Amino acid sequence: MKSILAIYPGSFDPVTNGHLDLIERGAKIFDRLLVAVLQNLEKDPLFPVAERVEMLREVTRPWPNVDVAIFDGLLVHYARQRNAQVILRGIRAISDYEYELQMALMNRKLEPGIETVFMMPSEAYSYLSSRLVKELVHLGGPVDGLVPSIVEKRLRAKVI
Ligand code: PNS
């Protein structure tokens, strides 16, 4: 029987409840879901990639078919190496669409055998992003309900 592995790639700096909502939806649809954290040496992330992975592993523990890994280089190369058939991405609002479409079509050109699947997180998270969460914490705002509590603790520890 065919087993579908989907890769859910991203920066996850840090993982938010919006990401988790998508992971939960993806884990229901696909046989296996691999959350792939980009190690981007050019960007200046708040959390080192090892810490982002650690947080993701902890918060995805409830889903036995979800795994977490690090990748660098081209996503489609990594997806091929892992024998993934699907790239999963979330679309929150129409503003995400243009960039996501561009990325999906470029990935399709590079690797026609891998399909990008878009899912929508709950509308409760349609305004949520890792960037805004970091800004909120930096400025002393509340982030309850936006990130898992272990992430909030680490965010506060970083900022203080
Ligand atoms: O969470 P993000 O920052 O929106 O995730 C973007 C990500 C990691 C999915 C994208 O930057 C990516 O796939 N980078 C890997 C390099 C690559 O394959 N680039 C070509 C994409 S068309």
Side-chain angles (χ1 to χ4, degrees):
M1 228 175 67
K2 199 169 171 189
S3 159
I4 304 283
L5 168 65
I7 290 199
Y8 178 35
S11 306
F12 303 103
D13 184 36
V15 57
T16 67
N17 286 346
H19 294 128
L20 276 186
D21 180 282
L22 214 77
I23 289 169
E24 181 167 22
R25 290 171 201 279
K28 273 191 206 142
I29 300 268
F30 302 109
D31 299 296
R32 286 174 301 138
L33 184 68
L34 179 62
V35 182
V37 184
L38 176 67
Q39 176 154 44
N40 187 345
L41 300 174
E42 282 154 37
K43 268 195 183 173
D44 186 22
L46 180 65
F47 291 99
V49 69
E51 204 173 345
R52 283 181 268 154
V53 166
E54 207 178 297
M55 288 187 276
L56 271 163
R57 289 223 165 101
E58 174 121 20
V59 297
T60 57
R61 210 174 287 156
W63 299 286
N65 61 337
V66 175
D67 208 350
V68 184
I70 298 170
F71 82 103
D72 59 9
L74 272 184
L75 173 63
V76 287
H77 285 169
Y78 180 67
R80 201 164 43 194
Q81 184 198 321
R82 299 297 301 246
N83 289 322
Q85 299 93 325
V86 169
I87 293 170
L88 173 65
R89 290 287 289 173
I91 289 198
R92 292 163 297 191
I94 199 78
S95 50
D96 284 338
Y97 179 74
E98 209 164 329
Y99 170 62
E100 294 297 334
L101 177 71
Q102 221 180 355
M103 214 159 50
L105 293 179
M106 182 61 82
N107 283 334
R108 179 185 283 167
K109 180 177 164 37
L110 296 170
E111 182 50 74
I114 297 175
E115 206 60 58
T116 297
V117 172
F118 294 116
M119 293 180 91
M120 291 161 292
S122 162
E123 62 273 22
Y125 303 123
S126 58
Y127 58 89
L128 178 55
S129 71
S130 299
R131 184 180 61 79
L132 282 183
V133 164
K134 284 183 277 193
E135 191 169 320
L136 270 177
V137 171
H138 187 66
L139 299 172
V143 291
D144 36 304
L146 304 182
V147 291
S149 57
I150 63 140
V151 174
E152 177 172 1
K153 273 190 209 114
R154 287 193 190 224
L155 272 165
R156 303 251 175 243
K158 278 263 177 226
V159 168
I160 288 164

